């Protein structure tokens, strides 16, 4: 079935470090891929998305490239800030269904 | 921000009592979802709706029921709350189906069953 596997956390980085959070997926057809972010005490917000192979989604310095050959959608940021501390969720949506499939989330803490 | 309001935001209830959570949207979106969030499990779909009076089960629907009598409201009911239903519950909405459209989430309801 359709699913997302996400890098286990928690992740702790120093400010200005490089961030990678791995995400791989299994899906039938041609899914769209998403990264959501959840700040403490809040709901999920869309961070970025990519709707076809080789697309790159980007927002707030974060990037992720839809790699069909490796079924991956890794999240990267070149220089993290304390304000990036949050939980990050990878998700997919398939053509044939109404649902989203979420990874388990990766908690990121950035220390000054 | 998408107009989604969840109520209540926090609730403590006793085992065996019925509980209803409400999701209200002002976006006139067709699709509405209820998820629960638990450590180590991420978000799991409980039920979703694709129109007024049209609902379907998700992966963790046992012990939950839903109703949608108006486009703007989607209610989640725990028939007889159990401690395993202690969780954070999120409502989400989506305008159209199809893989390209994102979902918008409410702020969540923290439910504790004692």
């Amino acid at each position: 079935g359709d699913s997302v596997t996400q890098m286990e956390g928690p992740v702790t980085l120093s400010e200005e470090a490089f961030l990678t959070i791995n995400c791989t997926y299994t899906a039938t057809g041609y899914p769209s891929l998403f990264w959501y972010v959840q700040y403490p005490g809040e709901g999920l917000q869309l961070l970025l998305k990519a709707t076809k192979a080789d697309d790159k989604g980007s927002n707030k310095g974060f990037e992720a490239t839809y790699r069909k050959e490796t079924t991956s959608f890794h999240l990267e940021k070149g220089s993290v800030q304390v304000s990036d501390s949050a939980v990050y969720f990878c998700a997919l949506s398939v053509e044939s269904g109404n649902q989203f499939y979420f990874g388990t989330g990766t908690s990121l803490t950035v220390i000054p | 921000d998408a107009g989604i309001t969840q109520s209540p935001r926090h609730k403590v209830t006793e085992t065996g009592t019925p509980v209803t959570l409400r999701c209200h949207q002002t976006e006139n979106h067709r699709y509405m979802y209820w998820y629960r969030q638990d450590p180590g499990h991420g978000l799991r779909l409980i039920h979703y709706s694709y129109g007024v009076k049209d609902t379907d089960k998700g992966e963790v629907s046992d012990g939950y029921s839903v109703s949608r009598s108006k486009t703007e409201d989607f209610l989640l009911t725990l028939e007889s709350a159990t401690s395993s239903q202690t969780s954070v519950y999120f409502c989400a909405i989506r305008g159209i189906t199809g893989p390209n459209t994102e979902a918008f989430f409410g702020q969540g309801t923290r439910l504790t069953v004692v």
Side-chain angles (χ1 to χ4, degrees), chain B:
Chain B
D1 289 343
I4 311 170
T5 304
Q6 290 186 232
S7 59
R9 293 292 313 280
H10 302 271
K11 185 169 182 66
V12 180
T13 192
E14 292 186 349
T15 298
T17 60
V19 176
T20 295
L21 308 183
R22 181 184 185 231
C23 178
H24 178 78
Q25 59 141 332
T26 57
E27 305 295 322
N28 200 36
H29 280 355
R30 178 180 176 188
Y31 296 89
M32 299 185 76
Y33 305 82
W34 277 108
Y35 290 90
R36 59 179 290 175
Q37 183 180 22
D38 304 289
H41 292 279
L43 272 76
R44 293 180 291 175
L45 182 66
I46 304 171
H47 282 279
Y48 68 98
S49 170
Y50 47 97
V52 173
K53 298 192 190 310
D54 292 323
T55 64
D56 206 349
K57 296 179 179 180
E59 62 178 306
V60 290
S61 59
D62 287 349
Y64 301 95
S65 62
V66 290
S67 66
R68 191 163 178 206
S69 58
K70 299 184 289 185
T71 298
E72 57 266 36
D73 289 325
F74 192 33
L75 304 180
L76 176 71
T77 298
L78 289 65
E79 306 290 347
S80 177
T82 67
S83 59
S84 64
Q85 294 176 310
T86 292
S87 186
V88 180
Y89 291 85
F90 287 99
C91 175
I93 64 174
R94 198 178 188 192
I96 58 175
T97 191
N100 299 342
T101 56
E102 61 263 35
F104 300 94
F105 284 80
Q107 296 285 80
T109 295
R110 183 173 294 278
L111 177 67
T112 303
V113 183
V114 297

Side-chain angles (χ1 to χ4, degrees), chain A residues 30-34 36 38 41-46 49 51 87 89 93-95 97-105, chain B residues 9 31 33 35 37 40-43 45 48 50 57-58 90 94 97-108:
Chain A
Y30 301 95
S32 290
L33 301 170
F34 304 81
Y36 280 83
Q38 183 182 31
E42 298 185 10
L44 279 70
Q45 304 173 25
L46 180 68
K49 70 178 184 180
T51 58
V87 181
F89 291 91
S93 177
V94 298
E95 289 178 301
N98 301 320
Q99 300 182 29
F100 277 81
Y101 298 89
F102 286 88
T104 53
Chain B
R9 293 292 313 280
Y31 296 89
Y33 305 82
Y35 290 90
Q37 183 180 22
H41 292 279
L43 272 76
L45 182 66
Y48 68 98
Y50 47 97
K57 296 179 179 180
F90 287 99
R94 198 178 188 192
T97 191
N100 299 342
T101 56
E102 61 263 35
F104 300 94
F105 284 80
Q107 296 285 80

Side-chain angles (χ1 to χ4, degrees), chain A residues 7 11 13-22 35 37 39 47-48 56-65 73-86 88 108-110:
Chain A
M7 171 179 164
V11 174
L13 295 174
S14 297
E15 204 164 24
E16 298 184 3
F18 184 85
L19 169 71
T20 300
I21 300 178
N22 291 338
W35 277 102
V37 59
Y39 298 104
L47 181 60
L48 54 84
K56 177 185 285 188
S58 61
N59 186 25
K60 299 182 181 178
F62 290 89
E63 293 183 340
T65 301
F73 192 55
H74 304 323
L75 182 68
E76 296 181 336
K77 186 175 186 183
S79 176
V80 294
Q81 305 301 311
V82 171
S83 57
D84 294 326
S85 297
Y88 293 82
L108 169 67
T109 301
V110 181

